[in-house]
Amino acid sequence: MVAPQPKRRAPDDIRPMPPAKKKKSKEKKKICRCKPTCGKPLSYKQRRKHYTNSNPDTAQPALSITSSGTSEEEHNNSDSDNHQSTGNYSSSDIASESDVAPDASSESDAHSNVPSSDDDGSELGDIDNDNLIGPPSEDEQTVLDLERELDQADNDDDEYIHTEHMLTDEERDNIRAFQLRLLANMPRASFNFMRHAFRHKLKISSEWVMLHRIAKLSGIEPKFYDCCAKNCAAFTGEWLQEENCPICEDPRYDDRGKAKRVFCYISLIDQLRGLYESKKMAKEMLHRSGYVPTGPAVISDVFDGALYLKSLRHRVVIQGVKQDHKYFDGPRDVAISVCTDGFLLFDRRRSGPSATPILCQNYNLPPTIRTHSENLICVGVIPGPNAPKHMGSFRRPLEDDLIKLAGPGVSAYDAHVEREFCLRAYQLFELGDIVAAEKSLGIKGHNGYCPCRSCALTGIRDVEGNGKVYYIPLRAPDGHPPTQKPRPNPPNLPLRSHRSFQRALDKIDAAETTTEKNNIAKAKGIKKPACFGAVGLIDYGKSVPWDWMHLFLENVIQNLFKFWRGEYKGLDEGEQSYEIAPHIWNDIGDETAAAVENIPAHFVRVLRNINTDRSGFTAESWCFWFIYLAPILLRGRFKETKYYKHMCKLVTIMKTSLKYSLTSEELDILEADIIEWVRDYEKYYYQYRSERLSACVLTIHGLLHVVDDIRNCGPSWTTWTFFMERFCGLLKRALRSRRHPWANLTKRTLHLTMLNQLKYRYDLHEELSLPPTDRRNRDEGVRTRNENEFDDYPEHILLTPCIKRYAPDANLRAQIAYYWHILTGRGKTRIEPLLPKNMASWAKVRIDGLKTTIRSSSAHNTGRDASFVRYENRYEDEDGEQINVIGYGQFVRALVCTLPEKPIFDEYSGKTRLLAVVIPCNTRGKDARNELVKYKENLAPLVMDIRDITALVGRVKTRGKWYILDRFDAAVPTFGDKGEMEQDNGLEDDDE
């Protein structure tokens, strides 16, 4: 009988190995000595797996267990060490998602019953045959051979060494199979059936062997940390040796001596090293060093922001100690941001279990790919069921990595130049929604007396109404007791700085009583140190920008919508009249739902009846509805025009803040517009009345800091968190286990990370590419049989259906002749007989420059209408000046017109032109990007060069008139990643 193992503390920063679970078995157990730290009582099968992965220099024969429960060696020598495991988990300790079955006992069980691998992945060596009965199985021998091949890559001093291990065909097949099971969410039974069905062609290893191989090849070694079962905190740092949760006093271990819950950290250092081992990615990582800053005159990326430009002049500071090198003085130094955000599991929307990913965005990559899901760096998913109360304890491993990367750096290998270098990385920003940012900074946040994280403006509460929530309007309510200091007005707000944070924390530390500490925390709005910022590059007052998505789309717009419907926190109209009648909202909802079929899917994906079905409205839906549809659908529907103008001014502000690049002059204008809009907002909705203070929520005040954030951090699109919403959606869709969801999410994240690292380290971009059914997953220049490309039109691809011998009617031939008459100046009647009788007619055109496809009405498309376009005709007037005429119309077909070799056609003789047939709308030359454009009738068909088509547009019909929806060119058009839709995480930013 084996003596029960006592509950022990973790000896270092890695959590202790849980005690082995006892199983009822008649098989005799022995003390395993595969490595000095093992000492587990194991059966024959378990010992054979251990010895398969052991180091021959340290492996010793197993010992029999005496009747007293000790080994023979312990019985003979009572002073010998007790060989109990305190080793680290390796990456192979994580099983696949399907391993977390509903009948599993706990998260810890999901790890403890999986075969472990030694850090020194070495060969088996000479082991006593009495302890390994019979030779290893075929699968185990495969692992054994792999360990021997990779033994040269391991280092006892834990230094990084680049290896040139070449993958075999079998290994590549196994990696492909692993990706298939992971991305397709394939159940284990289906996976095993696939292995059996293709056994005559492919040798796909068992799941255990496959995971072991991939864990070794990927170079990822996760670390597990115990955490509170209620997710209050993780047992790291000063709490490493605690037996109970320091916040809720809940025991750390269960009755079996196992941690109740664990947090898995995936090393940032390992993932950055893997990026540089890919020739393709190492070249992409040179974006930062090759970028030429243009700030502050023009801000186009984070590297034009004041924070980055200032950092280039200063030496690195780590925990108050200056280093010898400067920030970003190396061409390969990495700039990242860290984002945290919680999401509810199982499609919950209001309450329930949650999880919190920690994502890093890599700014060294070009903006076009840096937010793609495969390029995001996830270092862990904080388990639930609740949001973490002490974020710093979970962020401690990441902070340790950032300190190491900022100080001495780590050794890495650059596959692009084929040499080793010192890798350093620095955190530029801390991203997240309003609540996440407040937790990361350790401030009181919304509803506090000093709630803003960017300035120290104090709040006002409704004293007469016994209100307890503080709001921060620009102007105090009428009749409010006067204060000694007048309220500052923008742009002269009392901005916070890094020093102001430090001074407040110093005062709190110096306070002697709890009451004094609480009073200081209330006055300053700061209650505890931030969970990040050990490296001096971080400025607490400027490095946490307001997220554009949560600020505008999740709060400001939806609050205005509630005001217009009379549903905002029980407030009536007061002295204003901004509400819209319910019957009008019925019409607006119907018009919104009906507009979907006339709006291309490239514009917006989800759009429902906004009056009756807002549950499906995502942030993207709110953005599109407010910017494009609201100015049309709400026009003339307010009782007074001033509310409509106020709404349109916010639309202009959003459009400007969405631009890819902003000049200093544009930022000055934007700042003035925002200040004016906020003042009008308070005038219309707050009305300077104490009982209406709830209209002045923190998000309205946050608008005043948008321009400062752009100046400091870069354009809004560089710091918004759409990528986090998409990542949370990917995790939610892959979630299978309801009993142990957090272990399921951890495994999913770890396996995705391993897959990415395999792609980087072994140049598997081709093997692990997604199916080419979607053109966005195909390489540029690759065409299918349904695509036709012409030499003079590299960006215009003609798509089927096609009528190869289409005969234009007389009217269309006259229009084609008129087109050539304009180009050549020759007579129309002379040109028309010379035109070819038959031309190829194509129903679809893809314009690669616009990243969209135009579909004519003849394409037999049953989906949404994508046939209306914007075209621009350019010609010279009598004075020789260029005239640009903008028009809108419906694309009918594309014609391939090959002219005969006749002198009448001059330089066009024998040439092929792609002509577009368009039915124009009578819009009178107006530009829908700058003003509302409506029409009632169409004009006669026109023929033009297909290159004159400059954009795909949509339409919306309201009150019997059609309006054109034309997206502005200078702003960020979409928020998705390769067609993915951002997901609502279910955790709203409550203003109260």
Side-chain angles (χ1 to χ4, degrees), residues 726-745:
R726 290 196 310 273
F727 187 82
C728 292
L730 292 175
L731 294 182
K732 288 169 66 174
R733 289 194 292 271
L735 190 58
R736 291 294 178 268
S737 173
R738 286 187 172 269
R739 188 172 183 182
H740 304 292
W742 301 288
N744 198 182
L745 293 175

Side-chain angles (χ1 to χ4, degrees), residues 13 221 223 225 265-272 318 336 379 395-410 423-426 535:
D13 63 337
E221 295 186 4
K223 299 179 180 180
Y225 299 86
Y265 174 71
I266 309 173
S267 172
L268 173 65
I269 294 176
D270 291 344
Q271 297 189 64
L272 290 178
I318 300 177
I336 66 171
V379 297
R395 290 280 296 269
R396 180 66 178 268
L398 175 59
E399 284 298 300
D400 291 342
D401 274 0
L402 289 173
I403 290 174
K404 189 174 182 180
L405 287 167
V410 297
L423 173 63
R424 289 191 173 97
Y426 309 95
V535 180

Side-chain angles (χ1 to χ4, degrees), residues 551-562:
L551 188 63
F552 284 97
L553 308 184
E554 298 288 350
N555 285 279
V556 175
I557 288 177
Q558 297 189 36
N559 287 341
L560 284 175
F561 182 81
K562 293 176 182 177

Side-chain angles (χ1 to χ4, degrees), residues 279-306:
K279 291 184 178 180
K280 176 182 177 181
M281 298 307 296
K283 186 176 181 180
E284 297 282 9
M285 292 282 284
L286 295 174
H287 168 73
R288 183 195 63 81
S289 60
Y291 185 85
V292 180
T294 57
V298 179
I299 297 180
S300 303
D301 204 344
V302 296
F303 309 118
D304 296 317

Side-chain angles (χ1 to χ4, degrees), residues 820-827 830-831 834 899-911:
W820 288 112
H821 159 71
I822 296 297
L823 288 183
T824 62
R826 304 302 175 91
R830 296 177 55 194
I831 293 176
L834 301 177
L899 296 178
E901 296 185 357
K902 300 290 183 178
I904 191 174
F905 295 112
D906 296 332
E907 68 270 21
Y908 303 105
S909 177
K911 299 293 182 64

Side-chain angles (χ1 to χ4, degrees), residues 672-696:
D673 288 345
I674 291 177
I675 294 173
E676 182 183 359
W677 188 89
V678 172
R679 285 174 174 158
D680 289 340
Y681 171 89
E682 292 187 357
K683 179 181 178 182
Y684 297 154
Y685 302 100
Y686 159 43
Q687 303 172 22
Y688 314 117
R689 294 167 57 182
S690 181
E691 66 272 16
R692 299 182 66 88
L693 273 171
S694 59
C696 300

Side-chain angles (χ1 to χ4, degrees), residues 698-828:
L698 181 60
T699 50
I700 297 296
H701 172 82
L703 296 176
L704 300 173
H705 298 292
V706 167
V707 174
D708 284 338
D709 287 341
I710 294 176
R711 292 190 178 113
N712 291 324
C713 306
S716 298
W717 56 267
T718 62
T719 56
W720 64 19
T721 59
F722 277 102
F723 65 90
M724 172 60 85
E725 304 301 319
R726 290 196 310 273
F727 187 82
C728 292
L730 292 175
L731 294 182
K732 288 169 66 174
R733 289 194 292 271
L735 190 58
R736 291 294 178 268
S737 173
R738 286 187 172 269
R739 188 172 183 182
H740 304 292
W742 301 288
N744 198 182
L745 293 175
T746 294
K747 292 175 183 180
R748 177 76 176 188
T749 305
L750 183 56
H751 291 163
L752 287 173
T753 302
M754 290 178 178
L755 197 62
N756 283 336
Q757 290 299 307
L758 290 172
K759 184 190 303 183
Y760 300 148
R761 295 173 186 267
Y762 301 99
D763 194 21
L764 299 180
H765 298 276
E766 177 62 28
E767 283 88 342
L768 302 182
S769 61
L770 296 177
T773 53
D774 192 328
R775 62 179 175 82
R776 288 167 291 192
N777 298 328
R778 296 201 305 262
D779 294 334
E780 294 184 5
V782 177
R783 306 295 180 213
T784 67
R785 63 177 183 176
N786 295 326
E787 301 174 337
N788 202 348
E789 183 178 4
F790 292 82
D791 293 338
D792 295 335
Y793 298 83
E795 291 192 350
H796 293 73
I797 310 300
L798 302 184
L799 307 174
T800 56
C802 171
I803 303 176
K804 295 185 177 180
R805 298 183 60 82
Y806 173 76
D809 58 22
N811 293 332
L812 183 55
R813 288 182 64 84
Q815 288 294 333
I816 298 173
Y818 181 74
Y819 168 79
W820 288 112
H821 159 71
I822 296 297
L823 288 183
T824 62
R826 304 302 175 91
K828 175 183 173 182

Side-chain angles (χ1 to χ4, degrees), residues 102-392:
D103 57 351
S105 59
S106 69
E107 286 79 30
S108 298
D109 291 343
H111 310 301
S112 60
N113 294 330
V114 184
S116 61
S117 64
D118 217 1
D119 289 338
D120 303 327
S122 53
E123 58 189 296
L124 182 62
D126 298 325
I127 298 180
D128 190 356
N129 291 332
D130 293 337
N131 299 302
L132 276 179
I133 303 175
S137 66
E138 183 178 357
D139 281 344
E140 292 166 350
Q141 185 63 43
T142 302
V143 176
L144 176 62
D145 296 339
L146 177 66
E147 300 295 337
R148 286 171 175 162
E149 293 176 11
L150 296 180
D151 184 47
Q152 300 299 325
D154 294 325
N155 189 296
D156 295 335
D157 296 332
D158 198 24
E159 290 185 7
Y160 174 77
I161 295 180
H162 170 71
T163 72
E164 292 290 346
H165 175 74
M166 302 299 294
L167 297 179
T168 64
D169 291 339
E170 181 181 345
E171 290 169 345
R172 292 177 181 269
D173 291 338
N174 275 277
I175 293 173
R176 293 188 187 99
F178 175 73
Q179 182 194 39
L180 174 64
R181 182 169 189 240
L182 181 65
L183 299 186
N185 294 318
M186 183 183 293
R188 178 181 293 177
S190 301
F191 178 75
N192 290 333
F193 183 80
M194 181 198 70
R195 288 181 59 212
H196 181 77
F198 294 98
R199 65 189 184 280
H200 63 294
K201 293 290 185 181
L202 301 173
K203 184 179 180 181
I204 301 176
S205 303
S206 67
E207 186 177 10
W208 185 89
V209 174
M210 182 185 298
L211 287 174
H212 191 97
R213 278 184 174 182
I214 288 172
K216 271 292 181 183
L217 291 171
S218 67
I220 296 297
E221 295 186 4
K223 299 179 180 180
F224 291 86
Y225 299 86
D226 297 344
C227 60
C228 173
K230 299 178 182 178
N231 200 35
C232 300
F235 293 97
T236 60
E238 65 273 15
W239 297 337
L240 185 63
Q241 306 297 337
E242 295 293 331
E243 295 284 348
N244 298 317
C245 174
I247 297 177
C248 69
E249 298 296 331
D250 190 64
R252 176 176 181 173
Y253 302 101
D254 59 15
D255 296 337
R256 297 171 296 172
K258 294 184 178 181
K260 292 184 177 181
R261 189 145 293 148
V262 295
F263 164 63
C264 174
Y265 174 71
I266 309 173
S267 172
L268 173 65
I269 294 176
D270 291 344
Q271 297 189 64
L272 290 178
R273 280 171 166 169
L275 275 171
Y276 277 104
E277 283 209 35
S278 167
K279 291 184 178 180
K280 176 182 177 181
M281 298 307 296
K283 186 176 181 180
E284 297 282 9
M285 292 282 284
L286 295 174
H287 168 73
R288 183 195 63 81
S289 60
Y291 185 85
V292 180
T294 57
V298 179
I299 297 180
S300 303
D301 204 344
V302 296
F303 309 118
D304 296 317
L307 286 177
Y308 174 80
L309 295 177
K310 180 182 178 181
S311 69
L312 301 179
R313 305 190 298 269
H314 293 275
R315 286 194 298 167
V316 175
V317 177
I318 300 177
Q319 295 178 331
V321 180
K322 280 192 176 183
Q323 308 296 309
D324 295 332
H325 55 283
K326 292 183 178 180
Y327 295 105
F328 302 107
D329 60 355
R332 300 178 186 86
D333 289 356
V334 183
I336 66 171
S337 64
V338 180
C339 180
T340 57
D341 192 9
F343 69 96
L344 295 177
L345 309 182
F346 311 120
D347 295 326
R348 299 284 188 92
R349 290 194 173 272
R350 287 296 177 266
S351 62
S354 65
T356 306
I358 305 176
L359 275 184
C360 297
Q361 184 179 180
N362 184 356
Y363 289 118
N364 276 39
L365 295 175
T368 53
I369 64 172
R370 69 170 59 139
T371 57
H372 289 183
S373 299
E374 64 269 19
N375 295 328
L376 298 173
I377 302 175
C378 181
V379 297
V381 179
I382 301 175
N386 306 315
K389 294 182 179 180
H390 194 281
M391 181 65 74

